[in-house]
Amino acid sequence: MANPIRTLLNTLLELFYPSNCVGCGQPQDSGTFLCELCKATAPRIQPPFCRCCSRPFEGAIDGEFSCPNCEDRALAFDCVVSIYQAKGVLRDLIHRFKYGGHFHLRRVLTEYLLEAMQDSRLQATPVDCLVPVPLHPTRLRERGFNQAGALAEVLSKRARVPVLHCIERRLYTNTQTRFDRMERMLNLRNAFALRENSNVRGRHLVLLDDVITTGSTLHECALVLRAAGAESVRAVTVARG
Ligand SMILES: [Zn+2]
Ligand SMILES: [Zn+2]
């Protein structure tokens, strides 16, 4: 944990005030994490959206389609299921979870993942293991925890799917937010590798991350899993950046 005392305080607050909305802090009695007003600030993505990366498309398209971002490159994953935009309360929750020491928010964020796991693309074939996108050891020391790993642990218990920490991040990459898609892909090349003594041969895997932006990170991780003999590689994220 980045700050154990702050995390403990947050956990205690949550224990004593479980009925307050985690978005606005207002009391509510619905027994859910978020009040209706907060939840409405990050609505679910409606069709049509890209069947590969879940990117929404404005306009009328019938049936399945791929967006230009996916169409012109050979992606190593079968699909990324990401059914909410990272805006409004959801963007705020993810930020507080990753950078603000609000570790307890992993539970509400997992609710979004559980909903995504119901998507037909993830239900079509059984999932053998969840594979969280790893952080570089230096970044892990800075942040105190791996957000994808923390979410995978909670989702594992709720969805009854084991977690496999089988990828490691070898290269410390600079923050990618300034980069365009091509720069991100070059920046990430060979950043990931299969961990020693990991065996994914023949398995149906689902990569897990907090947010998808261009999909380059998930693509690079999927390449590693495919090369190691995984039968299928899909991915799930809390939201689209
Ligand atoms: Zn609220
Ligand atoms: Zn796409």
Side-chain angles (χ1 to χ4, degrees):
M1 252 98 318
N3 183 335
I5 293 172
R6 194 159 50 168
T7 305
L8 179 64
L9 279 175
N10 286 329
T11 307
L12 287 173
L13 270 175
E14 193 198 27
L15 281 174
F16 287 116
Y17 301 102
S19 59
N20 285 24
C21 169
V22 296
C24 61
Q26 294 297 311
Q28 55 156 4
D29 48 25
S30 64
T32 55
F33 288 104
L34 287 166
C35 72
E36 291 302 319
L37 282 176
C38 283
K39 192 143 203 302
T41 63
R44 187 172 170 153
I45 295 171
Q46 298 300 323
F49 50 78
C50 172
R51 68 183 161 77
C52 183
C53 73
S54 299
R55 186 164 127 187
F57 186 86
E58 294 193 12
I61 293 182
D62 286 329
E64 295 194 329
F65 78 101
S66 296
C67 73
N69 192 30
C70 294
E71 198 105 86
D72 64 352
R73 56 177 177 164
L75 291 163
F77 48 72
D78 298 323
C79 61
V80 180
V81 176
S82 186
I83 57 176
Y84 284 90
Q85 297 276 18
K87 58 184 189 183
V89 72
L90 189 49
R91 184 193 161 97
D92 183 46
L93 291 175
I94 291 168
H95 200 266
R96 280 161 59 195
F97 171 59
K98 273 170 89 167
Y99 309 112
H102 292 221
F103 191 64
H104 65 283
L105 292 176
R106 68 195 186 283
R107 286 171 53 196
V108 59
L109 294 176
T110 300
E111 295 292 324
Y112 285 91
L113 288 168
L114 271 168
E115 192 178 334
M117 291 296 281
Q118 298 305 312
D119 188 280
S120 59
R121 290 166 290 175
L122 290 173
Q123 292 286 321
T125 319
V127 178
D128 294 329
C129 294
L130 299 168
V131 179
V133 169
L135 289 182
H136 187 271
T138 307
R139 181 62 52 80
L140 188 62
R141 276 196 298 278
E142 289 166 2
R143 188 170 299 161
F145 69 101
N146 173 10
Q147 72 276 6
L151 293 170
E153 297 294 341
V154 185
L155 183 62
S156 167
K157 291 197 188 89
R158 298 286 307 275
R160 298 177 190 278
V161 180
V163 183
L164 199 60
H165 296 275
C166 60
I167 308 178
E168 62 184 5
R169 196 165 190 139
R170 292 192 167 162
L171 291 182
Y172 186 89
T173 47
N174 287 318
T175 177
Q176 297 211 78
T177 38
R178 295 175 287 111
F179 293 175
D180 68 16
R181 196 181 95 197
M182 190 54 77
E183 287 172 323
R184 280 176 190 239
M185 287 174 77
L186 291 173
N187 194 36
L188 281 173
R189 189 158 293 168
N190 300 321
F192 298 95
L194 197 73
R195 278 169 82 147
E196 225 173 293
N197 301 321
S198 297
N199 184 2
V200 298
R201 192 160 295 281
R203 302 230 190 153
H204 295 284
L205 305 173
V206 170
L207 283 161
L208 190 152
D209 208 354
D210 54 340
V211 171
I212 174 178
T213 42
T214 65
S216 299
T217 300
L218 291 167
H219 168 68
E220 291 296 324
C221 288
L223 275 179
V224 169
L225 298 174
R226 290 264 189 219
E231 182 67 26
S232 72
V233 183
R234 289 164 285 175
V236 65
T237 70
V238 175
R240 294 190 57 79

